[in-house]
Amino acid sequence: MRRIYVNEEWCLGCHLCEYYCAFAQTGGASMALALKDKQINPRIHIEDAEKYDSKGAEVHFAVSCRHCVEPYCVKGCITGALSIKDGVIQIDQEKCIGCYTCVLSCPYGCVAPADDGKVMQKCELCLNTTSGEPQCAKNCPNAAIVYEDRG
Amino acid sequence: MYVIIGNSAAAIGAVEGIRQMDESSQIVIVSDEPHHTYSRPLISYLLLGKTNEQLMKYRPDTFYENNNVTLLAPHRVTAIDPTEKTISLSSESKINYDKLLVAAGSSPFVPPMTGLDTVEKKFSFMSLDDARALERAVDDQSRVLIIGAGLIGLKCAEGILGRVRSVAVVDLTDRILSSILDEKGAAIVRRHLESKGVSFKLGTSVDNFEVNRAALKNGEHVEFDALVLAVGVKPNTGLVKALEKDKPLVNRGIITDTKMRTGINDIFAAGDCAESFDISLEANRVLAVLPNAYMQGETAGINMAGGNAEFNKAMPLNAIGFFGCHVLTAGSYVGDKIERSEGETYRLFFAQDNLLKGFMLINSPNRAGIYTSLIREKTPLDNIAQMIFDDPSLAAFSRAERKSMLGVVRYA
Ligand SMILES: Cc1cc2nc3c(=O)[nH]c(=O)nc-3n(C[C@H](O)[C@H](O)[C@H](O)COP(=O)(O)OP(=O)(O)OC[C@H]3O[C@@H](n4cnc5c(N)ncnc54)[C@H](O)[C@@H]3O)c2cc1C
Ligand code: SF4
């Protein structure tokens, strides 16, 4: 199955992926119009580490759902809102009651509250958006995020 | 034929485990609750109006049909015969099994209390029917008294508060949520609940009831219109206990190994009725939370169907919220404390032998699973930057470790 993978060495820390992620959720035609003056709440996050690697470069990398083969978030979900469909871990926000069990379960910190703070959201590979494929990977200027099949 | 006693998280985990190995053989579920499988923790959200009976179904309407499961409900299992390999139902019929799973959960524990029989409106808060009965019994003039300031009692308080005149909670312990919080943490959550209108009488218990009046041991009296008994739960072990001969099959819960086998061939147990090895405490205990119930059930199911699965990651995990105050705890509270608290935000960690053992987080839930994973995977703490206690991040890990987290297919 194709998943999102991160090449940390190539990440510039530009945070473009976060904007494309937030934009993909709006379904709009223009990023400028859709996100203007908005606080974005993307499903992918860049961690900008305040530390440096051995060559003295800053460390940045993107983190988003791994679509685990044995997902703790799904197994632990108390409502049945999280489920696996064709390998993709998805969330039914109507069923979610925001208990945070998935937040407590995910090893990578990849489930977080949606805008209203009452239900959770996570990366669903943009499959339910008009674009149909992950916009973070598609628009990463340095191939630091890729969408590919590694088994 | 696979037979499962119970129709809740552990049972559903078992069905999904069996179906990973065996797509077609028949599965029979026997349950004494007359409902489609539902999320037990959601009964308080039902009272709050945040869910409904359709949305709180733990699996879709088509679940039984799609998985070739026959649901026999409401039927109570009265006995297991491991020689004949049958179970008996209260209707006096018998069902044969090849592999049996006991996923019977737990029942409310009600200690003897003087005068309890004089109380007309008294309830447990364990099931959908309990929640419906309580809902019917109260109105906006009702005064509700809850005995027990544990998870279930307080979830009931949250659920019912907006529908009634007042809610008072009595507990013998001098703090709330005593099984998962220390004094300081409990005080934060208590203040929050009090600010919403719940009142507490702690460090005391009921001396006697007289119709709708409770006399407390500290001399106070509480008048009430409805009483909720949420003192504790006890694992439903009776069916297996009855089979005990020379070797013990039950401690506090049904004894299981990491494959969820009991001491009797072809009988498995999972969920709140079972006892399993807590990796954070390194001892056996009942871990009565839903994620464990599901994962134990799934493990049992895979093994019942001839697979080879082990559940060796069990530990306490609690994510519980009250009116927007989120309390997340995991593991065991042993070893040295590391605290990063501020105001009403509580962050306390426990470390021992270079391993994270447990934590309590109040009003600071984000990315908490990164900590859970440190306990679960027994990650040596000296390989991780200490800043992780301030802020859960993957940046605290080495680059090599991160590569294996973000660059390969993850099995967990
Ligand atoms: C109000 C409340 C809130 C909770 N909140 C949370 C939470 O936020 N997070 C969390 O992780 N956990 C929570 N829990 C705990 C969680 O509900 C349990 O851990 C979980 O339901 C255990 O699942 P189980 O399948 O082991 O057993 P159960 O859900 O207890 O189901 C067992 C079933 O077996 C049936 N049964 C028993 N004996 C027989 C018999 N002889 N014949 C036929 N049927 C039988 C029972 O009637 C029951 O339907 C909460 C519990 C309650 C009551
Ligand atoms: S949310 Fe976390 S646990 Fe769930 S599939 Fe994604 S990475 Fe895995």
Side-chain angles (χ1 to χ4, degrees), chain B residues 191-249:
Chain B
R191 278 196 291 279
H192 184 73
L193 281 163
E194 283 173 338
S195 77
K196 300 292 172 184
V198 179
S199 69
F200 290 99
K201 314 225 173 274
L202 302 182
T204 188
S205 59
V206 175
D207 183 72
N208 64 78
F209 291 102
E210 222 184 288
V211 192
N212 51 6
R213 186 177 139 106
L216 305 186
K217 294 230 165 89
N218 68 3
E220 283 183 69
H221 294 268
V222 185
E223 306 255 336
F224 59 88
D225 303 297
L227 177 70
V228 177
L229 297 160
V231 178
V233 298
K234 54 174 196 302
N236 291 328
T237 57
L239 291 171
V240 174
K241 183 82 187 168
L243 308 178
E244 233 170 41
K245 286 197 188 104
D246 27 337
K247 68 173 177 186
L249 297 173

Side-chain angles (χ1 to χ4, degrees), chain B residues 183-192 343-346 362-363:
Chain B
E183 244 165 70
K184 198 168 155 192
I188 295 173
V189 183
R190 177 180 171 178
R191 278 196 291 279
H192 184 73
E344 299 297 282
T345 298
Y346 194 46
I362 302 175
N363 291 320

Side-chain angles (χ1 to χ4, degrees), chain A residues 65-68 71-74 89 105-108 110-111 122, chain B residues 412:
Chain A
C65 172
R66 312 303 315 127
H67 295 277
C68 301
Y72 284 117
C73 61
V74 176
I89 312 304
S105 302
C106 171
Y108 314 104
C110 291
V111 206
K122 63 178 293 304

Side-chain angles (χ1 to χ4, degrees), chain A residues 2-30:
Chain A
R2 286 168 89 193
R3 287 184 173 77
I4 288 173
Y5 297 98
V6 171
N7 299 317
E8 162 170 338
E9 298 84 341
W10 297 343
C11 180
L12 307 166
C14 69
H15 293 250
L16 260 183
C17 51
E18 296 178 345
Y19 285 88
Y20 276 98
C21 175
F23 177 49
Q25 294 306 319
T26 67
S30 145

